[in-house]
Amino acid sequence: MSGSYLDGSVVPETLSWVFWVSRGIGTRGPDVDSGLEVKSEPTIGVIRPPPNKRECYTRWFNVDRPFGSGDWETLNRLRDIFTGQICKTPLQIEARTRFGVDPFSTGDVIYRYDVITGFVCRNKDQPWWRKRCNDYIVRFKCPVSFCHGEPCDYPTHIQCWTDWFDRDDPPDTGDWEDLRNLRLENPGKICHEPTQIEAETKCGLTPEQTGDVIYRSDTTKGFVCLNSQQPTGKMCKDYKVRFMCKSPYCANECYTNWYDRDDPPGSGDWETLMDLRRENKDEICENPLHIEAVTVDTLIPAANTGETFLVNNPTRGFVCRNEDQHDGVCLDYKVRFKCPCKEE
């Protein structure tokens, strides 16, 4: 069985096949290898292969939406945005819509679908009654050595927050939460290269909310608020700071289970920390260090879906409102939190 693209080129043989089941009717389209087992879904079942010890998949990517000229999930663009997350020579490419439908089952005319270019669906190639392409996601099969033994179709961007630090008080020249002194006073508690800094008052207000003029707030020097830069008669608030670090610094933190308490129909997907802690007693720590949100069906990180979020932080949880989206409806998300590991 073979297929062709708009320009007449043959579908690469690296694309094998998936069997889609919908209301008892099967159709075939390019996807994965044989050696199959059936996974049931409400309307569509996907036949997936058992794990291949010599190969692994990247996670799903979605860098474009079809509102302009089409959906351009090209390898060059993906590599620019997701540096180091796709192997040099992918063995296979897999694409599907955000709702899990194979491209060859959508009726879309596909311009490019290969491991050299990536995936491209152009709106101008579609029949006049379709107007534009569906929104697609893609992933790539790579040698297992690329994945370092980890399940590549799972999010791998592991980061965590340090403890809060408050080494100085505003009286005198201001509040100096500088990295040099913080490291000297807290050996081993701050990673070598933090990726993010967060500052707030002891009451939980951000610098923007206090109206203070901040002299410095960065991951190389730390945080400084100078009294001399504040309006006459005003002094800096008393701040605490923390830093975001990458693995392996996060070895002493553990993830919770995944939680999916809400679905998009209605006003959106509300995975708030308050509701999740109330519904899952003693499973989530009071002050999570990090939150991770991915789509329920394809495990795409929320930040890569192109959707707009009202809330996405470890102190409040995750909220996606339908009214904020281009197409009027959020994807369905699940979340988990990183907490200090419980002592056995």
Side-chain angles (χ1 to χ4, degrees), residues 103-117:
F104 291 82
S105 300
T106 63
D108 283 352
V109 177
I110 307 304
Y111 178 66
R112 273 283 178 265
Y113 189 5
D114 59 63
V115 295
I116 306 301
T117 306

Side-chain angles (χ1 to χ4, degrees), residues 322-334:
N322 292 335
E323 65 183 85
D324 298 328
Q325 313 312 315
H326 289 295
D327 55 5
V329 61
C330 296
L331 295 170
D332 190 13
Y333 293 91
K334 61 181 179 180

Side-chain angles (χ1 to χ4, degrees), residues 112-280:
R112 273 283 178 265
Y113 189 5
D114 59 63
V115 295
I116 306 301
T117 306
F119 181 90
V120 179
C121 179
R122 301 188 304 186
N123 290 336
K124 68 178 182 180
D125 299 330
Q126 309 314 311
W128 63 268
W129 63 87
R130 297 188 63 85
K131 294 186 179 179
R132 72 181 182 204
C133 302
N134 284 282
D135 188 14
Y136 290 94
I137 58 179
V138 298
R139 68 175 182 174
F140 300 88
K141 182 180 281 188
C142 292
V144 72
S145 58
F146 174 79
C147 303
H148 306 294
E150 298 179 2
C152 293
D153 58 353
Y154 221 66
T156 57
H157 50 289
I158 304 302
Q159 298 189 81
C160 59
W161 288 105
T162 65
D163 294 330
W164 287 100
F165 303 102
D166 180 19
R167 63 167 304 276
D168 195 22
D169 296 318
D172 198 11
T173 60
D175 195 350
W176 293 73
E177 307 296 336
D178 58 293
L179 254 176
R180 180 177 178 276
N181 283 308
L182 284 170
R183 284 198 172 107
L184 288 174
E185 298 165 10
N186 302 275
K189 293 187 176 182
I190 304 174
C191 54
H192 182 61
E193 295 182 345
T195 60
Q196 188 176 332
I197 183 174
E198 184 176 3
E200 63 179 46
T201 68
K202 292 183 176 180
C203 299
L205 298 178
T206 65
E208 292 78 11
Q209 291 172 321
T210 66
D212 283 351
V213 177
I214 305 304
Y215 174 69
R216 173 174 288 131
S217 182
D218 60 55
T219 56
T220 57
K221 299 290 186 180
F223 180 91
V224 178
C225 179
L226 298 176
N227 290 334
S228 61
Q229 293 186 339
Q230 311 311 312
T232 303
K234 190 173 182 286
M235 185 170 64
C236 294
K237 299 293 189 294
D238 188 10
Y239 291 93
K240 59 182 180 179
V241 298
R242 65 177 181 173
F243 300 88
M244 179 78 80
C245 294
K246 294 181 178 180
S247 296
Y249 174 85
C250 304
N252 292 325
E253 280 79 42
C254 298
Y255 271 112
T256 64
N257 295 322
W258 288 100
Y259 301 101
D260 178 22
R261 65 169 302 276
D262 195 21
D263 297 315
S267 61
D269 196 348
W270 296 72
E271 309 291 339
T272 64
L273 180 60
M274 180 177 68
D275 288 330
L276 288 168
R277 293 192 75 239
R278 185 180 67 248
E279 297 167 7
N280 301 275

Side-chain angles (χ1 to χ4, degrees), residues 41-92:
E41 299 288 348
T43 57
I44 297 179
V46 182
I47 298 179
R48 294 192 177 283
N52 186 326
K53 294 182 179 179
R54 294 174 299 172
E55 301 166 339
C56 61
Y57 276 103
T58 66
R59 63 178 175 80
W60 291 97
F61 302 102
N62 185 11
V63 295
D64 198 20
R65 305 292 287 272
F67 302 113
S69 61
D71 196 349
W72 296 72
E73 308 291 338
T74 63
L75 256 174
N76 285 342
R77 187 177 181 189
L78 288 166
R79 285 198 171 107
D80 285 343
I81 297 174
F82 302 101
T83 305
Q85 297 188 36
I86 303 173
C87 52
K88 184 177 180 180
T89 308
L91 306 173
Q92 181 179 316

